[in-house]
Each structure stands twice: as C-alpha cells, then as structure tokens.
Amino acid sequence: MTDELLVVRAQVGDRAALAELLARWRVPVWTYVRRMLDADRADDVTQEVWLAVVRGLPRLREPGRFAPWLFTIARRSVTDRLRGEYARPKEAWEAEEGVTEDAVEAMVDRAALVSVLSALPAPEREILVLFYLEDLPVEECAHICRIPAGTVKSRLNRARRLLREQLEEKGHRP
C-alpha cells in the first residue's frame, strides 16, 4: 500500500493505516534526527515529531507529499530543540560540554565518516543527510529546508568539500 493511501485512510480514522505509516517511517525519521542530534536527544525529539504528525495528519492537504511534510516537521523539531539549548545560560551549556567530550572519547571505535559528518555545520550536515542518507531529491530537500533548490545544490557542494577536507585532515582518503 502506498504512503498516499495510508495517509488518506489514517485521515478518516483507520488506526491500522496510521500504525503502518508510523512503522514504515519510524526508522528513517529517527535516523535523520539522530544524525542532527545525539542519541538521547534524538529519542525525545523523535517522539515530539510523531506527536506532531498524529496531531497534524488530519490537516495534511496533499497526502502524496507525506514524506516532505514529515521531514519538515522533523527539521522544525530539531531546530526548536537546538534553539532552546542555545538559549540556555552559558554555565549550563559549558557543564554539559565536558560530559559530551567524555562520551565522545569513550566511543573511539566510531567510524571516521560519522565523526566528520557530525563536525560539519548544521545546514550542510542537514542537506547531506536528507540528500544522501534519506535519498530525497533536491526539490524535496529545498521544500523541507524552505530554501531554493540552488541553495541546496550549493550547500551540497560546500558540504562535500568540507567533508573531503576533514577526511584528508584526519589522514583518510575520500
């Protein structure tokens, strides 16, 4: 069954269709959020995403555009979480930073690509995740991020360059 049909059925109250839709998109959404945040925050934000989806699904006018709509909600949730954290007092932020560094050091076996990806600026990392890891076309990435397709292409270009430079710095051949 297509996503579009599942959305329409869920909009008219079919709980089985809603459950299937959630099951189908649970991993891609969590993966996207996880690549933008750490694992603990990803779980919380993913729950917020699904709550927003369940609440907003009856108002979705174009069921065929479910995936971009879903990732737009996920992006907004990630952005809201990051905004909230940046607004915290500097002392709380610095206290947590030491814990994060210890956790990162404990994960030495983590793949070089993942660590380099997480070091990229958020706009470039987001475009890489959506385009390459979620396999969304440039147009849908543009719609989700609310930027022109040309900006998506330039961010992809910059992200690939930054990724290549980071890998070369760490002694890996891209």
Side-chain angles (χ1 to χ4, degrees), residues 122-161:
E124 284 74 15
R125 181 175 62 229
E126 177 178 48
I127 293 298
L128 279 177
V129 168
L130 290 171
F131 186 77
Y132 287 111
L133 304 175
E134 298 301 332
D135 291 324
L136 294 174
V138 168
E139 296 76 26
E140 287 190 10
C141 292
H143 179 76
I144 291 166
C145 296
R146 295 180 180 185
I147 57 175
T151 303
V152 170
K153 292 176 186 176
S154 65
R155 284 186 186 172
L156 274 171
N157 187 31
R158 182 170 188 261
R160 285 188 291 255
R161 182 177 46 77

Side-chain angles (χ1 to χ4, degrees), residues 16-139:
L18 178 62
E20 187 175 337
L21 198 60
L22 295 177
R24 185 177 290 183
W25 285 96
R26 182 183 59 80
V27 172
V29 167
W30 187 87
T31 304
Y32 166 74
V33 173
R34 171 60 184 96
R35 288 183 173 131
M36 298 305 293
L37 303 168
D38 61 53
D40 292 335
R41 293 184 299 171
D43 289 339
D44 291 343
V45 171
T46 301
Q47 286 180 5
E48 293 169 14
V49 169
W50 288 118
L51 185 59
V53 167
V54 169
R55 287 180 178 161
L57 197 59
R59 295 184 305 277
L60 178 61
R61 293 184 190 149
E62 296 180 55
R65 306 249 330 131
F66 177 74
W69 177 76
L70 173 62
F71 281 102
T72 299
I73 291 171
R75 178 180 189 266
R76 193 174 305 124
S77 297
V78 166
T79 302
D80 289 348
R81 175 61 60 99
L82 291 173
R83 244 187 231 127
E85 289 175 4
Y86 291 140
R88 286 186 307 176
K90 187 176 178 183
E91 299 78 34
W93 194 89
E94 288 171 343
E96 221 173 76
E97 205 171 272
V99 173
T100 304
E101 288 173 4
D102 292 340
V104 171
E105 289 174 10
M107 299 175 74
V108 175
D109 62 334
R110 193 169 179 136
L113 185 59
V114 174
S115 66
V116 170
L117 183 63
S118 66
L120 292 178
E124 284 74 15
R125 181 175 62 229
E126 177 178 48
I127 293 298
L128 279 177
V129 168
L130 290 171
F131 186 77
Y132 287 111
L133 304 175
E134 298 301 332
D135 291 324
L136 294 174
V138 168
E139 296 76 26

